[in-house]
Structure formats: C-alpha cells, structure tokens
Amino acid sequence: MSDLTSMVNIGREMSRKLRAVGITSPEQLREAGAMGAYLRLKSVCPHVCLVHLYALEGAVRGVDFNALPAEVKRELKGFSDQLR
C-alpha cells in the first residue's frame, strides 16, 4: 500500500484530512472516487471547497487538477453546487 502523498495533488494536509475520514491509501481513494471522498470530507471539514474536489479528481485520474478537462470541471462544480 502506498502513501496518499504519492498521488498527484495530495499533500500532507489533504492526506491528513482523508485519513480522518477513513481513506488511508491511494487504492481506497480510487475506490471511493473523488465525489465520494469529497462527501466524506465535507461531513467533517465543512469548509472544503471546489478546489479540493478538483484535486481529488485529479488524484484519482493521475493528473494535475489544472489539467482536468473543462467538461469534467463543470460536472464537478455542478455536484459541489448541489451540496450547498
């Protein structure tokens, strides 16, 4: 099992937050998916924002969050907006 910080976009702070919601490995993050992980984070860290969701999606896909396609970003923004 690898450390979460081995994934793109996941630094020590994001890793700490993910571990707090029971996601402790890259495999678990991929299994939960970006949206699932974001929902779990929101339940304990209500101030996580859209950029966190982009970072999670990028981590799952193995790309920098700035490289996510515009269509994917729109879908993620719509998901995030529904949670307000």
Side-chain angles (χ1 to χ4, degrees):
M1 238 189 322
S2 303
D3 187 274
L4 285 163
T5 58
S6 68
M7 300 178 82
V8 66
N9 305 321
I10 306 296
R12 288 187 315 184
E13 184 60 21
M14 178 68 90
S15 176
R16 183 190 66 74
K17 289 176 182 174
L18 288 167
R19 285 191 319 272
V21 296
I23 298 172
T24 61
S25 70
E27 294 81 11
Q28 288 176 330
L29 178 54
R30 287 185 199 100
E31 186 177 308
M35 291 182 200
Y38 185 72
L39 282 173
R40 289 164 73 171
L41 286 175
K42 275 292 230 193
S43 71
V44 296
C45 305
H47 294 101
V48 293
C49 66
L50 181 59
V51 174
H52 290 90
L53 180 55
Y54 289 166
L56 291 167
E57 183 67 25
V60 168
R61 291 174 180 245
V63 300
D64 184 271
F65 74 91
N66 289 309
L68 291 171
E71 181 179 312
V72 171
K73 286 183 176 181
R74 275 192 300 278
E75 179 183 339
L76 295 171
K77 182 172 183 340
F79 174 78
S80 176
D81 288 350
Q82 288 179 2
L83 299 177
R84 290 185 191 182

